[in-house]
């Protein structure tokens, strides 16, 4: 099932950090409930901190897992100092496609759609553990809405399609607004 | 019709390969006994048994690669892998080491044996030896042979052959490459780890250029718009006579899709897609493309999936230089 990634990107882009953190925590909780084996496999890995730098998003994400601890994602301001073992840089849409197993990480790496910095051990382990799961953002996050899910996803898809056409204009206006402040 | 042999690094990738039209799948255990021993990858015995059962229910065969070379005193891992493969009802095991072949022949004479590309058997004398002593039913040929040479080998040995259709070009002497171990101290041939992730790092260089390193050794640096190869020593760019060049191997992927009819006419039994370390998305994409090419002779571009984003026929057209 299609996930409205353009809309999700735009939605997150304009939200304040605490709200993005709350949405991220909720999404992580839903995925955890749906894929307990993913999270137990992540616990078994060595301690890792992957900094996710989204090229189309004004914040960073710090994904921490391993060493028997629960996996977590912290939303960070790029100006904050942060420790990490590996950094991955790419668009939110590309990373969501990788999360769902719809695109190949190596292919995105060859084409430079994603870039990796630092030690690659943690990111290769995470990629391999993740690829064992059949993650569907629709099923994991939208489907729990029950009978309302089809209506919600239809509305989101229409909005996503419209927004993907209009987003350059929105982003340009938003950037202008930010610069003027 | 040539058999399509497809990779699976996880049960999810195996399912993707089955759904995309694989005839046969090859995979390995999550330890040093297979040549793709990377963290988070491969199968436990429980996963292997369940996956083989799933594949068989869809009419798909499963081969288990036990294709590394045991270190002295550590044979038990390879022996256990063979016992497990037999218990899991594998359709064949892919082996390289003479001692492992001998053990399998004596302990499990009815379990079909294929000779791994790691054995690097590239002439009829070598293949005849393995056939005579270990009753191998199929040989996976190294990627250094032209189509004419493959045909000649098939004519002389009368054995089933499996050749690489998509993946790496494959440098020099497969199963005998120690380049990575000189730098990392870990062996591709005994431990299944070529350029292990624990030793690979990427660092910013200058002007949007990224540097890839294996341990303390710089392998390459590539600009913002330049396709990136795998961080293995054979794909490193080195300075020779003041010129920076790919000394061992260009960062291009092998793709034999346009010469499938020639490989079939040469008598090739099976086509192998490389990539047990790749994702299920890659498996689904490449298997579906080759399934379609085999069934209808229509071709779908796989250039983006190929290493470095570009393709070659490798040695098939021009031989090995």
């Amino acid at each position: 099932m299609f996930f409205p990634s353009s809309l999700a990107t735009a939605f997150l882009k304009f939200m304040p950090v605490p709200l993005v953190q709350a949405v991220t925590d909720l999404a992580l909780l839903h995925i955890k409930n749906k894929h307990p084996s993913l999270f137990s496999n992540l616990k078994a890995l060595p301690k890792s901190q992957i900094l996710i730098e989204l090229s189309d998003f004004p914040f960073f994400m710090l994904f921490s897992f391993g060493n028997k601890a629960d996996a977590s994602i912290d939303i960070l301001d790029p100006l904050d100092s942060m420790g990490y073992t590996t950094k991955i840089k790419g668009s939110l849409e590309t990373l969501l496609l990788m999360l769902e197993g719809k695109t190949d990480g190596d292919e995105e790496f060859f084409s430079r759609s994603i870039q990796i910095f630092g030690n690659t051990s943690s990111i290769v382990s995470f990629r391999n553990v993740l690829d064992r799961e059949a993650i569907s953002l629709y099923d994991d996050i939208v489907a729990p809405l029950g009978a309302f899910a089809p209506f919600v996803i239809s509305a989101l898809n229409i909005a996503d399609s419209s927004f993907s056409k209009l987003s350059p204009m929105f982003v340009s206006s938003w950037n202008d607004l930010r610069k003027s402040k | 019709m040539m058999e399509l042999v497809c990779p699976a690094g996880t049960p999810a990738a195996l399912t993707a390969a089955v759904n995309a039209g694989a005839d046969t799948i090859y995979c390995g255990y999550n330890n040093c006994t297979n040549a793709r021993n990377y963290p988070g990858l491969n199968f436990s015995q429980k996963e292997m048994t369940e996956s083989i059962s799933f594949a068989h229910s869809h009419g798909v065969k499963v081969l288990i690669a036990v294709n590394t070379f045991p270190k002295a005193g550590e044979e038990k891992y390879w022996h256990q892998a063979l016992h497990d493969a037999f218990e899991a009802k594998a359709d064949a095991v892919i082996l390289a080491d003479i001692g492992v072949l001998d053990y399998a022949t004596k302990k499990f004479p009815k379990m079909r044996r294929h000779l791994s590309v790691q054995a690097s058997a590239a002439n009829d004398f070598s293949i005849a030896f393995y056939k005579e002593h270990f009753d191998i039913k199929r040989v996976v040929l190294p990627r250094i042979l032209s189509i004419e040479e493959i045909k000649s080998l098939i004519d002389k040995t009368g054995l089933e052959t499996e050749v690489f259709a998509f993946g790496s070009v494959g440098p020099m002497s497969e199963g005998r490459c120690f380049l990575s171990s000189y730098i990392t101290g870990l062996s591709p041939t005994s431990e299944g780890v070529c350029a292990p992730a624990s030793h690979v790092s990427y660092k910013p260089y200058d002007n949007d250029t990224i540097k890839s390193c294996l341990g303390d050794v710089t392998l390459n640096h590539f600009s913002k718009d330049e396709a990136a190869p795998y961080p293995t020593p054979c794909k490193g760019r080195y300075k020779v006579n003041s010129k920076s060049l790919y000394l061992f191997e260009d960062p291009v992927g092998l793709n034999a899709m346009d010469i499938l009819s020639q490989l079939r006419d040469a008598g090739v039994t099976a086509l192998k897609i490389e990539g047990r370390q790749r994702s299920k998305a890659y498996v689904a994409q490449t298997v579906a493309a080759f399934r379609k090419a085999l069934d209808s002779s229509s071709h779908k571009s796989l250039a983006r999936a190929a290493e470095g984003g570009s393709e070659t026929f490798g040695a098939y057209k021009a031989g090995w230089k």
Side-chain angles (χ1 to χ4, degrees), chain B residues 66 70 75-84 86 93 95 97-111 113 133-134:
Chain B
V66 187
E75 302 85 353
K76 63 183 177 186
Y77 297 111
W78 283 259
H79 293 172
Q80 185 63 48
L82 291 172
H83 282 267
D84 288 346
F86 181 77
V93 282
L95 313 174
D97 180 77
I98 286 178
V100 176
L101 276 157
D102 185 54
Y103 185 87
T105 307
K106 287 174 179 162
K107 289 279 184 184
F108 308 102
K110 289 184 179 169
M111 186 158 64
R113 291 172 291 284
H133 292 278
F134 309 116

Side-chain angles (χ1 to χ4, degrees), chain A residues 104 106 112 118 128 131 133, chain B residues 39-40 202 223 230 278-280:
Chain A
D104 177 49
D106 288 16
R112 310 295 298 279
N128 291 338
D131 208 50
E133 304 290 327
Chain B
Y202 292 96
S223 60
Y230 280 124
R278 300 283 291 264
S279 68
K280 62 189 175 210

Side-chain angles (χ1 to χ4, degrees), chain B residues 145-153 262 266 316-317:
Chain B
L145 301 168
S146 67
I147 293 175
E148 291 74 23
E149 288 168 330
I150 291 170
K151 184 175 184 332
S152 170
L153 275 180
Q262 294 172 58
Y316 289 136
K317 283 286 192 183

Side-chain angles (χ1 to χ4, degrees), chain A residues 45 99-113 115-122 124-125 127-135, chain B residues 10-12 39-42 47 197-198 200-202 204 210 222-224 226-230 277-282 285 304-308:
Chain A
L45 294 173
L99 179 71
E100 290 194 292
K102 290 179 179 167
T103 190
D104 177 49
D106 288 16
E107 189 174 310
E108 301 299 339
F109 172 76
F110 297 149
S111 68
R112 310 295 298 279
S113 297
Q115 293 180 47
I116 295 164
F117 300 93
N119 186 285
T120 59
S121 186
S122 53
V124 168
S125 303
R127 190 274 310 263
N128 291 338
V129 164
L130 181 67
D131 208 50
R132 306 176 92 85
E133 304 290 327
I135 290 179
Chain B
T10 61
L41 210 60
N42 299 311
E47 289 171 332
S198 54
V200 172
S201 60
Y202 292 96
I210 294 172
F222 27 91
S223 60
K224 189 180 177 186
E226 194 177 5
Y230 280 124
Q277 80 282 18
R278 300 283 291 264
S279 68
K280 62 189 175 210
Y282 162 89
Q285 179 189 5
R304 202 165 180 268
E307 183 177 1

Side-chain angles (χ1 to χ4, degrees), chain B residues 184-201:
Chain B
T184 67
L186 297 169
S187 168
T189 52
S190 293
E191 290 157 290
V193 280
C194 174
S198 54
H199 290 64
V200 172
S201 60

Side-chain angles (χ1 to χ4, degrees), chain B residues 57-77:
Chain B
S57 71
H58 287 75
V60 175
K61 287 182 277 188
V62 178
L63 318 177
I64 299 181
V66 187
N67 60 345
T68 45
F69 297 80
K71 287 180 178 175
E74 295 187 0
E75 302 85 353
K76 63 183 177 186
Y77 297 111

Side-chain angles (χ1 to χ4, degrees), chain A residues 30-47:
Chain A
H30 275 295
I31 296 173
K32 186 177 178 180
N33 289 336
K34 201 84 170 145
H35 303 277
S37 58
L38 168 63
F39 285 76
S40 61
N41 286 336
L42 286 173
K43 272 185 179 180
L45 294 173
K47 185 181 178 184

Side-chain angles (χ1 to χ4, degrees), chain B residues 280-298:
Chain B
K280 62 189 175 210
Y282 162 89
V283 170
Q285 179 189 5
T286 52
V287 174
F290 270 91
R291 180 77 276 156
K292 196 173 176 189
L294 283 168
D295 292 349
S296 64
S297 300
S298 64

